[in-house]
Amino acid sequence: MRNVIVVGSGCAGNTAALYTARANLRPLVVAGHEPGGQLSLTTLVENFPGFPEGIDGPVLVENIKKQAEHFGAEYLHGTVIEADLSKRPFRLNIDNEWHEARTVIIASGASARWLNLPNEQKLIGHGVSSCATCDGFFYRGKKIMVIGGGDTAMEEANFLTRFGEEVAVVHRRDTFRASKIMLDRARSNPKIKFLTDTVVEDVYDADQHLVTSVKLRNLKTDETWVRDVDGFFVAIGHIPNTRPFEGQIELDPDGYILSKGGARTNIAGVFHAGDVQDRAYRQAITAAGAGCMAAIEAERFLEAEGH
Ligand SMILES: Cc1cc2nc3c(=O)[nH]c(=O)nc-3n(C[C@H](O)[C@H](O)[C@H](O)COP(=O)(O)OP(=O)(O)OC[C@H]3O[C@@H](n4cnc5c(N)ncnc54)[C@H](O)[C@@H]3O)c2cc1C
C-alpha cells in the first residue's frame, strides 16, 4: 500500500514527487508512455525561472526527477491503463498489475494534437511547435505559419506577430470555428495573412533538422506549392490524458479534469496537477507549481487521516 501514487513524470508529476518525497511519503511515480513529459520533446527552454541562459527541456525535467529520487521517490516504467477510485484504498492497474494507494495525484498531461505529416514529429523542437508562448521568441524577424481555425489559432497568430515578419494562418475551410472577436482581431492585423481551403501536406527539411518550408494544397483547385517557413505552429487543440479515469472522476466535455478548488478533484484523496486540468496556461512553471499544490494537499489529507 502506497501513501501516494503520482501518475505522470512531466514537470507536474516530478514536482509532486519531489514534495511528497521530502515529506517522507515515499511516492511511487508512474512514468507513462512519455517519461519526462512534453518537455522531453523540446530543446531550449528559456522561460523557466532560475536559468538565465535557458536550459534544455529534457535536462530540466530529468533534474527534477533526480531531485525527487534523492529524497526517496521511486519511478516505475509503466502506464496506468485502468483505475478504481470508487473506494479506498484507490487501485490503479499499471500494465496489468494492480497497485493500491491512499492518495493519487493525476499529472498525466494533455498531448498536443498534431497533423500527422510525414516529417512533423522529426521536426518538433526544431521549428515545429504547439506552443507560441514557449517558442515564439525564437522566430524574431522570421516567417511563421499557424495551422488551425479556432480561437487558439487566432490567439497564437496574433501573439506571434510580435516576433515574426509575417504570420500565415492556414485553415482547411473558409469558415472558422473561432469567435467573431478573435477572428476580427486577426483579420485586422496587417502582419497576418490567411490561406483558407488549404491543407499542409508536409513540412521540410528533416535532413537539416530545421524547418525551411512546407508543401501546401488548395482543396478547391487541387493546386500544390511549396512555401518558405521558419516556424510552424500547430494550433488544433490538445487531448487530455484522462482515458483511464473516465467514469471515475469528473471531467469537462473535452476530457480535462474538473477542479474542485486548489488541486482537489471530486474524489477526496485524488488530486490533479498540471496540464491534465489546465487548458489556460500550459507552461512548465505552472505545471510544476500545480505539482507542488497537489503534493501539499496530499500531505494534509494523509495527516488528517492519521497517516
Ligand atoms: C514541443 C514543446 C515545447 C514546449 N516548450 C515549453 C517552454 O519552452 N516553456 C514552457 O514553460 N513550457 C513549454 N511547453 C509546455 C510544457 O512542456 C507543458 O506545459 C508541461 O510539460 C506540462 O507538464 P505536465 O507534467 O502537466 O504534463 P506533461 O509534460 O504532458 O507530462 C505528462 C506525463 O504523464 C504521463 N502519462 C500520461 N498518461 C499516463 C498514464 N495513463 N499512466 C501513466 N503516466 C501517464 C506521460 O508519460 C508524461 O510523463 C512545451 C511543450 C511542447 C510540446
Side-chain angles (χ1 to χ4, degrees):
M1 161 81 78
R2 292 279 175 170
N3 283 314
V4 188
I5 295 184
V6 179
V7 183
S9 58
C11 291
N14 284 352
T15 305
L18 166 62
Y19 272 76
T20 48
R22 268 193 100 238
N24 257 342
L25 295 174
R26 301 206 49 234
L28 178 72
V29 184
V30 192
H33 59 283
E34 193 174 87
Q38 293 170 67
L39 277 195
S40 66
L41 300 176
T42 193
T43 46
L44 192 63
V45 174
E46 292 191 319
N47 54 9
F48 199 93
F51 301 95
E53 312 299 331
I55 179 166
D56 251 7
V59 175
L60 172 60
V61 83
E62 180 65 20
N63 280 349
I64 313 176
K65 178 186 175 203
K66 281 190 192 145
Q67 210 174 339
E69 284 177 323
H70 175 71
F71 292 106
E74 278 176 53
Y75 281 74
L76 184 66
H77 280 287
T79 301
V80 174
I81 54 177
E82 202 183 343
D84 180 4
L85 307 176
S86 60
K87 55 185 180 304
R88 285 193 259 153
F90 302 121
R91 294 169 71 235
L92 298 179
N93 181 341
I94 304 168
D95 293 343
N96 289 318
E97 203 173 291
W98 287 94
H99 294 248
E100 291 184 343
R102 296 188 174 98
T103 63
V104 173
I105 296 175
I106 303 174
S108 48
S111 308
R113 278 181 208 274
W114 298 104
L115 298 166
N116 297 322
L117 307 172
N119 284 309
E120 191 180 37
Q121 295 293 312
K122 295 177 200 153
L123 290 167
I124 291 174
H126 300 276
V128 171
S129 175
S130 59
C131 175
T133 310
C134 311
D135 296 330
F137 196 77
F138 297 125
Y139 300 99
R140 273 161 294 165
K142 301 277 174 100
K143 294 184 175 65
I144 296 176
M145 184 169 278
V146 175
I147 316 303
D151 276 350
T152 309
M154 298 312 127
E155 193 178 324
E156 303 236 319
N158 270 309
F159 176 75
L160 288 165
T161 58
R162 296 184 196 188
F163 310 103
E165 73 171 29
E166 63 168 41
V167 176
V169 174
V170 173
H171 182 44
R172 61 190 159 157
R173 284 188 276 273
D174 63 356
T175 53
F176 290 82
R177 255 185 313 108
S179 56
K180 187 176 177 314
I181 184 165
M182 294 299 292
L183 190 57
D184 287 350
R185 201 174 293 159
R187 280 191 166 137
S188 61
N189 188 322
K191 277 193 176 176
I192 297 180
K193 302 277 173 285
F194 284 90
L195 294 168
T196 53
D197 296 313
T198 300
V199 291
V200 184
E201 301 226 301
D202 205 358
V203 53
Y204 309 115
D205 182 1
D207 290 339
Q208 288 188 57
H209 300 294
L210 194 69
V211 169
T212 55
S213 60
V214 295
K215 184 177 174 193
L216 299 166
R217 184 159 64 92
N218 183 296
L219 291 174
K220 287 206 164 141
T221 63
D222 221 28
E223 178 201 359
T224 61
W225 72 104
V226 171
R227 183 178 171 120
D228 287 349
V229 168
D230 304 294
F232 183 78
F233 289 80
V234 180
I236 56 172
H238 285 76
I239 309 166
N241 300 315
T242 47
R243 185 161 298 160
F245 308 105
E246 275 172 14
Q248 303 270 325
I249 54 172
E250 280 183 25
L251 307 175
D252 76 8
D254 293 326
Y256 287 90
I257 295 178
L258 270 180
S259 183
K260 298 291 168 177
R264 288 184 295 281
T265 68
N266 61 306
I267 300 175
V270 179
F271 303 97
H272 59 74
D275 285 16
V276 71
Q277 178 272 324
D278 170 21
R279 50 163 78 243
Y281 304 109
R282 290 200 272 257
Q283 292 296 290
I285 187 65
T286 48
C292 160
M293 288 165 64
I296 291 175
E297 298 232 18
E299 274 166 56
R300 289 181 182 159
F301 177 86
L302 287 166
E303 196 161 306
E305 300 256 306
H307 298 292

